[in-house]
């Protein structure tokens, strides 16, 4: 079933309203279609004579044509020369002759003589300025500047050299101290070993004597078992005498070892004292040198000021 037109606004005839609305809509669409923009967005116009330069092409063709023509003519000439070996004889048999040769030679000799005379005068001329006098004056000016200046010339180099020398002296002092410490430790160890060695020797001697005495007594008893009691008593007395003699000898050796140890200890103490005195003397000497250097620096600074 056909559906009638439904208008937005009230109307008396729906058919006329539909026709009028359709007509207004078509007019609106025609206006929108035929409307012109406010901004021109079209591409710019192109000119043929700017893109296609006919005059330039014509000139290039003419240049190429002349080049080809000249090349063709040159090729024809070269081929003709290769075939006929040329028609022109370019070898000249006459000698060049000059009409003013002597004149030019005389002029050249005159110029050389004048140049030689000028050179002689230049070499014989004494200088107006004496460079030796300039050197002497410069040395005097340097002396005046040194006397006026606060710091001497090349003072930074002198300072660096002094610092380096001071560092080297410090290193030498440390090495000497290390060597002294090592020598002292070695001497102490030697003295200890000397003190211990005589005691050990004494103990070894006493142990050897006691062992020999013990070994000798049973042997003598075994040899004289078959003898009489009188002989045994005599042997016992001899053994006692021998033991007494050995004891006396051991005592003497011990006393002698004690004296040697005391003498060694005294010698080691004297050596250590001498070493300490030497180290103190060297340290005092170094302190005196440092104080002298400090005084010299102060005097130099006072002179510079």
């Amino acid at each position: 079933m056909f559906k009638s037109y439904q208008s937005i606004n009230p109307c008396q005839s729906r058919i006329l309203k539909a026709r009028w609305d359709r007509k207004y809509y078509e007019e609106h669409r025609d206006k929108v279609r035929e409307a012109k923009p406010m901004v021109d967005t079209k591409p710019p116009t192109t000119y043929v004579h700017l893109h296609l330069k006919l005059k330039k092409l014509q000139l290039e063709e003419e240049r190429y044509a002349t080049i080809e023509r000249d090349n063709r003519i040159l090729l024809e000439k070269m081929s003709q020369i290769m075939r006929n070996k040329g028609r022109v004889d370019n070898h000249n048999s006459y000698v060049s002759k000059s009409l003013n040769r002597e004149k030019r030679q005389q002029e050249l000799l005159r110029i050389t003589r004048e140049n030689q005379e000028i050179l002689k005068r230049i070499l014989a001329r004494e200088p107006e300025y004496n460079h030796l006098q300039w050197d002497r004056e410069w040395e005097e000016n340097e002396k005046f500047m040194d006397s006026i200046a606060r710091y001497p010339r090349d003072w930074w180099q002198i300072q660096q050299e002094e610092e380096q020398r001071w560092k080297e002296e410090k290193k030498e002092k440390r090495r000497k101290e290390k060597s002294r410490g090592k020598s002292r430790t070695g001497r102490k160890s030697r003295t200890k070993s000397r003190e211990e060695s005589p005691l050990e020797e004494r103990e070894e001697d006493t142990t050897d004597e006691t062992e020999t005495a013990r070994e000798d007594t049973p042997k003598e008893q075994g040899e004289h078992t078959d003898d009489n009691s009188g002989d045994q008593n005599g042997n016992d007395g001899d053994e006692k005498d021998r033991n007494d003699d050995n004891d006396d000898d051991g005592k003497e050796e011990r006393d002698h070892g004690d004296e040697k140890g005391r003498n060694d200890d005294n010698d080691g103490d004297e050596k250590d004292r001498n070493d300490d005195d030497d180290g103190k003397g060297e340290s005092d000497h170094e302190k005196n040198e440092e104080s002298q250097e400090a005084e010299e620096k102060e005097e130099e600074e006072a002179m510079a000021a």
Side-chain angles (χ1 to χ4, degrees):
M1 184 175 177
F2 179 73
K3 187 176 181 181
S4 62
Y5 177 74
Q6 297 293 330
S7 63
I8 296 170
N9 298 322
C11 60
Q12 293 179 357
S13 176
R14 292 180 180 180
I15 296 168
L16 294 174
K17 186 65 176 173
R19 189 182 295 173
W20 293 337
D21 290 340
R22 194 180 300 111
K23 183 180 178 182
Y24 295 151
Y25 181 70
E26 289 175 357
E27 288 177 355
H28 171 67
R29 291 298 300 167
D30 292 335
K31 287 180 181 179
V32 170
R33 196 180 299 110
E34 293 176 356
K36 293 181 180 181
M38 297 296 290
V39 180
D40 188 7
T41 58
K42 294 179 182 179
T45 56
T46 57
Y47 299 98
V48 179
H49 67 280
L50 295 176
H51 294 281
L52 185 61
K53 298 177 181 180
L54 298 174
K55 185 67 177 176
K56 186 177 179 180
L57 295 172
Q58 184 182 357
L59 294 172
E60 286 180 355
E61 288 177 358
E62 290 176 356
R63 188 168 65 83
Y64 292 150
T66 53
I67 291 168
E68 288 178 357
R69 183 172 61 80
D70 294 336
N71 290 333
R72 189 178 65 255
I73 292 166
L74 181 61
L75 183 61
E76 288 175 358
K77 288 180 180 180
M78 290 173 70
S79 61
Q80 187 178 359
I81 290 165
M82 292 295 290
R83 287 196 305 271
N84 300 328
K85 294 184 180 180
R87 293 181 180 179
V88 179
D89 186 7
N90 56 0
H91 295 286
N92 297 320
S93 60
Y94 63 93
V95 179
S96 62
K97 294 179 181 181
S98 177
L99 299 174
N100 60 350
R101 183 177 179 181
E102 294 180 358
K103 179 74 173 176
R104 286 188 288 104
Q105 287 181 354
Q106 291 175 1
E107 189 70 20
L108 182 62
L109 291 170
R110 185 182 64 79
I111 291 166
T112 53
R113 283 196 300 272
E114 290 179 356
N115 290 332
Q116 288 177 359
E117 290 176 358
I118 292 165
L119 180 61
K120 286 179 182 178
R121 287 199 301 271
I122 290 168
L123 294 173
R125 178 68 178 171
E126 293 182 357
E128 294 289 338
Y129 302 103
N130 190 2
H131 65 281
L132 298 174
Q133 186 178 0
W134 287 0
D135 292 334
R136 288 194 296 272
E137 290 177 355
W138 174 246
E139 289 177 357
E140 290 178 358
N141 290 329
E142 283 185 344
K143 288 179 181 178
F144 290 140
M145 286 192 292
D146 291 335
S147 63
I148 294 167
R150 183 176 182 182
Y151 297 102
R153 283 182 298 171
D154 299 333
W155 61 271
W156 60 92
Q157 293 180 358
I158 296 166
Q159 189 175 4
Q160 288 177 358
E161 290 176 357
E162 288 180 355
E163 288 179 356
Q164 190 174 2
R165 186 168 57 79
W166 185 58
K167 288 179 182 178
E168 290 176 356
E169 288 177 357
K170 271 192 172 181
K171 288 181 181 179
E172 289 179 357
K173 287 178 183 178
R174 289 174 183 173
R175 289 174 186 172
K176 288 179 180 178
E177 289 176 358
K178 287 181 181 179
S179 63
R180 288 172 188 168
K182 288 180 181 179
S183 63
R184 287 176 184 174
T185 53
R187 287 170 184 170
K188 288 180 181 178
S189 62
R190 288 173 187 171
T191 53
K192 287 181 180 179
S193 63
R194 288 174 183 173
E195 290 174 357
E196 292 174 357
S197 60
L199 295 173
E200 291 177 355
E201 289 176 356
R202 292 168 198 164
E203 291 176 356
E204 289 177 356
D205 293 334
T206 53
T207 52
D208 291 333
E209 289 173 357
T210 53
E211 286 177 358
T212 52
R214 288 174 185 174
E215 288 176 357
D216 291 334
T217 52
K219 287 180 181 179
E220 291 174 355
Q221 289 176 4
E223 289 176 354
H224 299 285
T225 52
D226 296 329
D227 295 334
N228 293 321
S229 62
D231 296 329
Q232 289 179 357
N233 293 322
N235 291 324
D236 293 332
D238 294 330
E239 287 176 359
K240 286 179 181 179
D241 295 330
R242 288 173 186 172
N243 290 323
D244 294 329
D245 294 332
N246 290 324
D247 293 331
D248 295 331
D249 294 331
K251 287 180 181 179
E252 290 178 356
E253 288 177 355
R254 287 174 187 172
D255 295 331
H256 186 65
D258 293 331
E259 289 178 357
K260 283 184 179 179
R262 289 171 186 173
N263 292 324
D264 293 330
D265 293 334
N266 293 322
D267 293 333
D269 294 332
E270 288 178 358
K271 287 181 181 179
D272 293 331
R273 288 171 186 171
N274 291 324
D275 293 331
D276 294 332
D277 293 332
D278 294 333
K280 289 179 181 179
E282 290 178 356
S283 63
D284 295 331
H285 183 65
E286 291 173 355
K287 288 178 181 179
N288 292 323
E289 288 180 353
E290 290 178 355
S291 62
Q292 288 177 2
E293 289 178 356
E295 289 176 357
E296 288 177 357
K297 287 181 180 179
E298 290 177 356
E299 289 177 359
E300 290 177 357
E301 290 177 356
M303 290 292 289

